[in-house]
Amino acid sequence: MEVLPRNTIHHLRCPVLDVVELEGGHCRLRFHAPPIARSSIPGQFVNVRLPGRIDRPRAFDSYADVVEYHKTHPVGEAPFLLARPFGVHRAGADGWVEILFKVVGRGTRLLAGAALGSRLDVLGSIGNGFNLTQPPQTAVLVAGGTGIAPLYLLAERLHRAGSGLVVLVGTGFALPMTLSDSDEVVHFLDKDVTAVIDEYVDLGAVVRIATIEPRKGCHTGTSVDLLSQYLQALPPGERAGKAIFSCGPWAMQAAVAGLAARYAMPCQVLLEERMGCGLGACMACVCKIRQETGEYKYKRVCVDGPVFDANDVGWEARE
Amino acid sequence: MSEPKLAVDLAGLEMHNPLIVASGTFAYGEEFINVGGFKNEDIGAIALKGTTLEPREGNATPRVAETASGMLNSIGLQNPGADAVVRDVLPRLRAFDTRLIANIAGGTVEEYREVARRFARAPELDAIEVNISCPNVRRGGAAFGADPTAAADVVAAVREAWGGPLIAKLTPNVTDIAPIAAACIDAGADILSLINTLRGMVIDTATRRPVLGNNFGGLSGPAVKPVAILMVHQVYQIAREKNVPVIGMGGIAGANDAIEFIIAGASAFSVGTALFWNPSVCRQIIDGLRAYLIEHEIDDVSKLVGTLKTN
Ligand SMILES: Cc1cc2nc3c(=O)[nH]c(=O)nc-3n(C[C@H](O)[C@H](O)[C@H](O)COP(=O)(O)OP(=O)(O)OC[C@H]3O[C@@H](n4cnc5c(N)ncnc54)[C@H](O)[C@@H]3O)c2cc1C
Ligand SMILES: Cc1cc2nc3c(=O)[nH]c(=O)nc-3n(C[C@H](O)[C@H](O)[C@H](O)COP(=O)(O)O)c2cc1C
Ligand code: FES
């Protein structure tokens, strides 16, 4: 077992700056965490816990206001809760970090109801993010559901590094981002598939959306269909310089990995697994990963991942 | 009052404070140091991950499930095997000024003995803890620790191989823990530690399947603390007569929890699950313990051990 030097993981009490409810039971939460905002790389995650709640009659005007309030209002005792992992969605130079999530259970419900100014217990940033040592000419981002959240930070950084972006999103429900209609036709899809996500378009991305239920401007199907059509339409000579980045449910990512292998395209995937510590200590979050020997071994998603090369993941090992 | 004494000596296991990090929650000591402000040196001792003779792959995922005030785990002892730990891991741990406790597991008495032999050659180790909660593969999978004779067999086998401080870690999944504690002491245990996890299951009602890949697992965290406190109290009655110190654990999440264990009879205590949601908990517990001793004018933590006044 070799030890790799790792970045410091900060354990901070972070005031909630903003909580926004979005379509389809989604929520965007912003908290103040300068060391995490500074050090986060795309694909890394934060482990968030809600230690207690304070009732607050009105919104805070500034961070200084929050600090002042906390001098006289200590946070109450905590209910027991394991931390919840969320990919870093966006981070600001002035020290804020945003996560974007869907309310699916107890933890996300508590988080969505977090009072402004209450403090979250946050550990971050954790894990190996996407490998961006050689930004591709064109990055093809494939997202299933809330997979669009961690991919946004990636899109921002790739855009800054000069990569072109193609963003293919599949969703079974309403999207927590801004939809609009594009007048541009893309060559790999029918001409009536025109809906786009503004946040990604602003980064110069070509964006297309697939929905399970038919919806105007969207392809009826999945993000895997979109990727399949994109790759089919791509002349073999144009595959070089392109790379796939994926985030979403296991079955979707297994299919993305299959397509990447068939077209011999590099592909990185961000995996999810249930966690205990989020620090590499409990061995809860494992997943079968191929070693240099060709053997598959359980590796920890939290610190050995969460991003892996799609070729190395033992996709069959799990249904 | 001057600074109270926090250092403890448990049958030759000398620690600068009574806080041990629990086996299985701290891997082999090299993970939490990545958290800003965390120092292994703040801990009295590290109980390393349970180790078997051969490498073990561990159980299918999901391996953890949150429960009311606790969690279930079924890691399945994923570990690289005793030889790899002795050769690759322990030498690196010399860098830390804290005590190291190997935690050993096995499916047969011979396996326990053999793992202990391998560890006995490692100069880095200060103590060995025997996890007797493992299923006995020769007896249909009943835990060694559920039967006084089987528990004694395992402890005696490890005793043959290791001359240093020997800790027997008891399972709470028994009707009466007292005879098992007594059998372990008679078989040569210098120290008793308890509790290991309580067995449990969580069912996903949508799929009607257990949440854990292994179907069932071990419960830990604040949910188990009252069970652990009572068992420490019971075991202390037996252990103190034979001058055997007790290490208490199960659900400790703050200084007050640790103090409860000490009053019940624990000379030292372990923190496990709480580290997962509060990696800064060790410092907080030690600070809180010190403050309590000062407030109650106790100059040595050992003087608090077993001071319970029953009604
Ligand atoms: C690296 C990583 C990044 C993630 N990024 C995002 C993101 O950006 N946006 C988003 O909406 N979701 C994300 N998730 C999933 C998110 O962690 C879960 O939706 C969340 O933990 C559910 O908590 P809950 O209490 O509401 O659900 P419950 O089902 O009540 O949770 C019970 C337990 O299971 C765990 N759990 C449940 N679902 C998941 C899951 N899919 N992955 C891991 N643990 C789970 C919980 O953490 C908790 O311990 C990410 C997961 C991982 C591992
Ligand atoms: C994820 C996990 C892994 C564990 N692995 C081991 C182990 O390998 N050997 C062992 O003796 N105990 C193991 N335990 C039990 C703990 O050491 C401890 O006895 C128990 O969790 C109760 O303490 P806690 O409530 O503070 O966690 C494990 C516990 C957890 C949560
Ligand atoms: S969550 Fe504990 S090792 Fe990954």
Side-chain angles (χ1 to χ4, degrees):
Chain A
M1 287 193 294
E2 48 166 348
V3 255
L4 298 167
R6 295 203 174 103
N7 293 342
T8 298
I9 297 170
H10 304 278
H11 183 206
L12 308 170
R13 278 301 194 78
C14 305
V16 174
L17 299 174
D18 198 17
V19 187
V20 183
E21 273 184 47
L22 300 163
E23 254 195 276
H26 289 91
C27 179
R28 192 174 61 223
L29 189 150
R30 178 184 287 206
F31 53 87
H32 184 76
I36 297 176
R38 267 197 304 273
S39 63
S40 290
I41 62 169
Q44 284 191 310
F45 66 95
V46 290
N47 236 345
V48 182
R49 204 175 137 257
L50 197 67
R53 283 215 256 165
I54 52 169
D55 292 317
R56 171 74 189 168
R58 62 180 175 83
F60 289 98
D61 297 328
S62 67
Y63 175 55
D65 190 14
V66 175
V67 174
E68 199 48 45
Y69 185 81
H70 272 279
K71 282 185 188 152
T72 46
H73 297 75
V75 173
E77 269 301 292
F80 178 71
L81 212 69
L82 285 176
R84 266 55 174 165
F86 300 98
V88 176
H89 173 54
R90 298 200 305 168
D94 44 344
W96 52 264
V97 173
E98 265 182 14
I99 56 174
L100 174 65
F101 58 90
K102 187 170 161 62
V103 174
V104 294
R106 179 171 164 237
T108 44
R109 197 160 43 241
L110 267 172
L111 277 177
L116 296 184
S118 64
R119 294 198 188 196
L120 303 176
D121 207 318
V122 181
L123 264 177
S125 306
I126 308 174
N128 297 313
F130 289 100
N131 182 345
L132 300 179
T133 43
Q134 285 177 312
Q137 249 161 42
T138 306
V140 184
L141 276 47
V142 191
T146 50
I148 49 168
L151 289 184
Y152 185 76
L153 188 69
L154 175 70
E156 259 186 356
R157 300 289 163 92
L158 284 169
H159 174 63
R160 224 184 286 160
S163 297
L165 295 168
V166 175
V167 179
L168 308 173
V169 178
T171 174
F173 37 79
L175 274 167
M177 295 178 109
T178 323
L179 254 60
S180 61
D181 209 40
S182 157
D183 44 21
E184 214 180 311
V185 177
V186 291
H187 67 283
F188 59 95
L189 286 169
D190 296 338
K191 60 179 186 322
D192 57 339
V193 181
T194 50
V196 296
I197 301 170
D198 287 355
E199 288 86 339
Y200 282 105
V201 171
D202 291 346
L203 300 173
V206 172
V207 187
R208 283 303 180 267
I209 303 165
T211 51
I212 303 294
E213 298 291 323
R215 176 171 175 160
K216 189 172 171 297
C218 299
H219 167 81
T220 305
T222 66
S223 59
V224 178
D225 298 342
L226 297 177
L227 177 66
S228 174
Q229 296 189 30
Y230 172 81
L231 291 173
Q232 254 170 36
L234 190 69
E238 287 181 28
R239 282 181 208 154
K242 295 194 169 56
I244 300 171
F245 300 84
S246 160
C247 184
W250 183 267
M252 169 234 145
Q253 300 218 85
V256 168
L259 284 171
R262 173 146 27 110
Y263 289 89
M265 304 264 293
C267 178
Q268 298 180 47
V269 293
L270 194 158
L271 299 183
E272 290 183 5
E273 189 46 82
R274 286 183 185 238
M275 296 190 178
C277 64
L279 293 168
C282 72
M283 312 306 283
C285 62
V286 298
C287 172
K288 287 264 167 93
I289 300 293
R290 191 174 56 191
Q291 306 302 292
E292 276 165 14
T293 56
E295 211 186 340
Y296 282 86
K297 278 205 172 148
Y298 276 132
K299 288 280 159 188
R300 299 160 299 184
V301 167
C302 64
V303 296
D304 299 320
V307 177
F308 293 97
D309 187 318
N311 268 323
D312 294 338
V313 178
W315 297 105
E316 322 72 41
R318 202 161 80 174
E319 72 272 20
Chain B
M1 202 191 108
S2 63
E3 188 71 356
K5 183 177 165 215
L6 289 178
V8 292
D9 178 350
L10 275 63
L13 173 61
E14 291 177 29
M15 306 189 289
H16 66 81
N17 72 43
L19 190 154
I20 305 172
V21 284
S23 176
T25 62
F26 208 71
Y28 292 99
E30 296 182 297
E31 312 301 339
F32 277 78
I33 52 174
N34 294 317
V35 178
F38 193 100
K39 284 205 200 73
N40 279 352
E41 287 73 16
D42 291 341
I43 301 166
I46 298 172
L48 303 170
K49 172 67 188 166
T51 306
T52 48
L53 189 55
E54 302 297 332
R56 280 210 198 169
E57 188 174 47
N59 291 329
T61 55
R63 288 177 171 184
V64 288
E66 192 177 75
T67 64
S69 287
M71 65 174 271
L72 282 183
N73 88 81
S74 64
I75 307 298
L77 284 171
Q78 180 175 343
N79 79 91
D83 288 337
V85 172
V86 170
R87 187 185 61 229
D88 305 333
V89 182
L90 294 180
R92 289 203 300 261
L93 303 185
R94 282 185 197 157
F96 304 120
D97 186 15
T98 183
R99 302 295 175 206
L100 299 176
I101 303 170
N103 177 284
I104 69 181
T108 63
V109 172
E110 295 73 40
E111 184 178 357
Y112 278 102
R113 183 188 291 117
E114 195 48 42
V115 179
R117 272 205 194 112
R118 311 281 166 108
F119 277 135
R121 292 187 209 126
E124 296 87 359
L125 290 178
D126 299 292
I128 286 184
E129 180 175 59
V130 200
N131 172 7
I132 58 172
S133 302
C134 302
N136 181 346
V137 295
R138 302 242 172 86
R139 291 276 165 79
F144 288 100
D147 168 56
T149 315
D153 288 348
V154 172
V155 172
V158 174
R159 183 75 285 175
E160 281 170 30
W162 167 255
L166 172 56
I167 308 165
K169 182 164 178 181
L170 307 179
T171 168
N173 300 307
V174 294
T175 319
D176 186 1
I177 201 163
I180 296 164
C184 289
I185 294 172
D186 293 343
D190 303 310
I191 306 166
L192 299 177
S193 66
L194 69 157
I195 61 174
N196 211 315
T197 53
L198 281 158
R199 301 217 295 172
M201 182 188 270
V202 177
I203 295 170
D204 179 340
T205 53
T207 59
R208 301 192 206 172
R209 285 173 179 277
V211 171
L212 294 178
N214 184 50
N215 298 319
F216 66 91
L219 183 66
S220 64
V224 309
K225 199 189 81 181
V227 176
I229 295 281
L230 176 60
M231 287 188 158
V232 165
H233 169 64
Q234 291 169 331
V235 166
Y236 178 65
Q237 310 305 315
I238 294 158
R240 107 179 122 181
E241 283 170 17
K242 312 210 174 181
N243 247 328
V244 167
V246 174
I247 299 170
M249 72 190 95
I252 296 178
N256 199 60
D257 301 329
I259 293 162
E260 264 190 72
F261 274 93
I262 297 170
I263 293 170
S267 299
F269 55 88
S270 297
V271 180
T273 304
L275 286 162
F276 296 174
W277 44 289
N278 180 7
S280 308
V281 72
C282 297
R283 266 269 181 78
Q284 293 166 3
I285 290 175
I286 291 301
D287 289 347
L289 175 59
R290 187 182 289 117
Y292 177 92
L293 294 174
I294 292 171
E295 196 186 323
H296 290 81
E297 299 185 340
I298 301 170
D299 62 2
D300 180 345
V301 67
S302 302
K303 293 186 181 162
L304 185 63
V305 176
T307 53
L308 179 72
K309 304 172 210 158
T310 47
N311 303 317

